[in-house]
Amino acid sequence: MMTRRRTPKAWVRLGLRGMAMGAADLVPGVSGGTVAFIAGIYEELLDTLGGLGAGTLRDLFKEGPVFTWKRYNLGFLAALVAGIGLSVVLLAGALHHLLEHHPVLLWSFFFGLVAASVPFMLRDIPRRSFRAPVFAMLGIGAGTAWWLTGLPPLMQGNHPAFLFGSGAIAICAMILPGISGSFILVILGAYSSVIGALKSFDLVRIVAFASGALTGLLGFSKGLGWVFRRHRELAMALLSGFLIGSLRKLWPWKENLRALFTHSDGRVEYLQANISPAAHSDPQWWLAIVSMAAGAIVVTGLGALSRKDNSPKSGETSTAA
């Protein structure tokens, strides 16, 4: 496996990328995988996760922690996880407040972020590759995400076996650009149960969910990494389609059709429909446009940061572990 030597500044920037991924995954409808791709770490993330397995444990006991840490690029994962964890601690309350009290502005920001991400992904596909198979995968991805984001949330369940399965499915979505893992949890009816287990420190259910997430993550990342290595253009087209289809969920102007159920923290889950801004009671036109522009600016900044870190002068080199 190839690992990267990073300067202290590069490690800090990697942690900031993790924070951005964590912030994205906190909002049902936004994927941390989108941020990872735009930030230029998506394929390294897939390769690192795909390299983990039984051999990792074998090397840990046979060769020691230092060898294992370097061989399997665990520093990269540690920096990302630290950033994601810090983001959850610092931003969870603020994001949920915005979701509750200023939904149009929050959805506008993420709508702008994801919409601006689509050209970044499409430009990674060579022009000569834009043929029928690529357009087909683009359509399949868009249609799948459009259908998924239109599904109504289900009633919640909290059995450990159910949480294990939900964790395995949701974690796969979390590393796919355009499909939100937290939104999948809402659809499955596990979102409130997971949040409740974390708040009450219910170890049985936390371990069940985490075990499912780990199982799904290791298996899915290997498969997705294999697809990227052998059919990169088709994979990029599919993921770009996911982004396009996910805009259905991120449309800022919605109306509540009917109440579905109440979460354990008192929040009411509604069946919603997208409406035109003119039909919304408080469309906040100009603020929404500013929020969309801010989201697009964030994407541009992440893209510039990616180009800087991947340039020969970035201070990072690849070495064989």
Side-chain angles (χ1 to χ4, degrees), residues 238-307:
L238 182 67
L239 298 183
S240 298
F242 285 156
L243 283 185
I244 295 170
S246 71
L247 293 174
R248 177 182 185 176
K249 171 63 180 176
L250 301 176
W251 181 251
W253 296 281
K254 306 175 186 295
E255 68 172 348
N256 295 329
L257 299 180
R258 70 173 189 273
L260 294 175
F261 57 87
T262 302
H263 290 283
S264 59
D265 58 4
R267 291 182 300 107
V268 179
E269 190 70 51
Y270 290 94
L271 177 65
Q272 294 184 317
N274 291 336
I275 58 175
S276 71
H280 197 276
S281 59
D282 185 18
Q284 304 178 70
W285 283 93
W286 291 109
L287 288 176
I289 292 173
V290 170
S291 294
M292 288 182 186
I297 290 171
V298 168
V299 168
T300 304
L302 286 171
L305 185 63
S306 170
R307 290 190 296 272

Side-chain angles (χ1 to χ4, degrees), residues 152-158 162 166 185-193 259-263 269:
L154 301 176
M155 290 297 291
Q156 58 195 28
N158 62 0
F162 172 72
S166 298
L185 286 178
V186 171
I187 291 176
L188 293 173
Y191 185 81
S192 181
S193 298
L260 294 175
F261 57 87
T262 302
H263 290 283
E269 190 70 51

Side-chain angles (χ1 to χ4, degrees), residues 115-175:
S117 300
V118 174
F120 274 88
M121 295 192 70
L122 289 177
R123 77 178 186 183
D124 213 43
I125 303 175
R127 288 188 178 182
R128 57 179 171 75
S129 298
F130 276 93
R131 298 176 181 175
V134 166
F135 285 113
M137 295 306 291
L138 187 66
I140 290 172
T144 300
W146 186 270
W147 171 72
L148 281 174
T149 54
L151 292 176
L154 301 176
M155 290 297 291
Q156 58 195 28
N158 62 0
H159 191 279
F162 172 72
L163 294 181
F164 179 92
S166 298
I169 296 171
I171 199 67
C172 296
M174 285 182 181
I175 61 175

Side-chain angles (χ1 to χ4, degrees), residues 38-212:
I38 299 303
I41 59 171
Y42 190 70
E43 292 186 61
E44 184 179 1
L45 178 61
L46 289 183
D47 289 341
T48 302
L49 292 173
L52 301 178
T56 311
L57 292 176
R58 184 172 60 250
D59 284 342
L60 176 62
F61 290 108
K62 183 178 179 181
E63 305 291 346
V66 174
F67 174 86
T68 305
W69 183 269
K70 292 181 179 179
R71 176 176 176 80
Y72 292 96
N73 202 20
L74 297 183
F76 169 81
L77 288 182
L80 277 187
V81 170
I84 292 171
L86 185 60
S87 183
V88 170
V89 172
L90 296 179
L91 302 178
L95 285 174
H96 281 90
H97 174 80
L98 291 172
L99 194 60
E100 183 74 20
H101 299 286
H102 303 284
V104 171
L105 300 185
L106 184 65
W107 289 122
S108 294
F109 174 82
F110 284 111
F111 187 92
L113 186 148
V114 171
S117 300
V118 174
F120 274 88
M121 295 192 70
L122 289 177
R123 77 178 186 183
D124 213 43
I125 303 175
R127 288 188 178 182
R128 57 179 171 75
S129 298
F130 276 93
R131 298 176 181 175
V134 166
F135 285 113
M137 295 306 291
L138 187 66
I140 290 172
T144 300
W146 186 270
W147 171 72
L148 281 174
T149 54
L151 292 176
L154 301 176
M155 290 297 291
Q156 58 195 28
N158 62 0
H159 191 279
F162 172 72
L163 294 181
F164 179 92
S166 298
I169 296 171
I171 199 67
C172 296
M174 285 182 181
I175 61 175
L176 281 174
I179 299 183
S180 163
S182 52
F183 180 66
I184 294 299
L185 286 178
V186 171
I187 291 176
L188 293 173
Y191 185 81
S192 181
S193 298
V194 172
I195 296 299
L198 291 172
K199 285 183 177 180
S200 62
F201 205 63
D202 186 336
L203 282 177
V204 173
R205 288 175 172 79
I206 290 175
V207 170
F209 177 77
S211 299

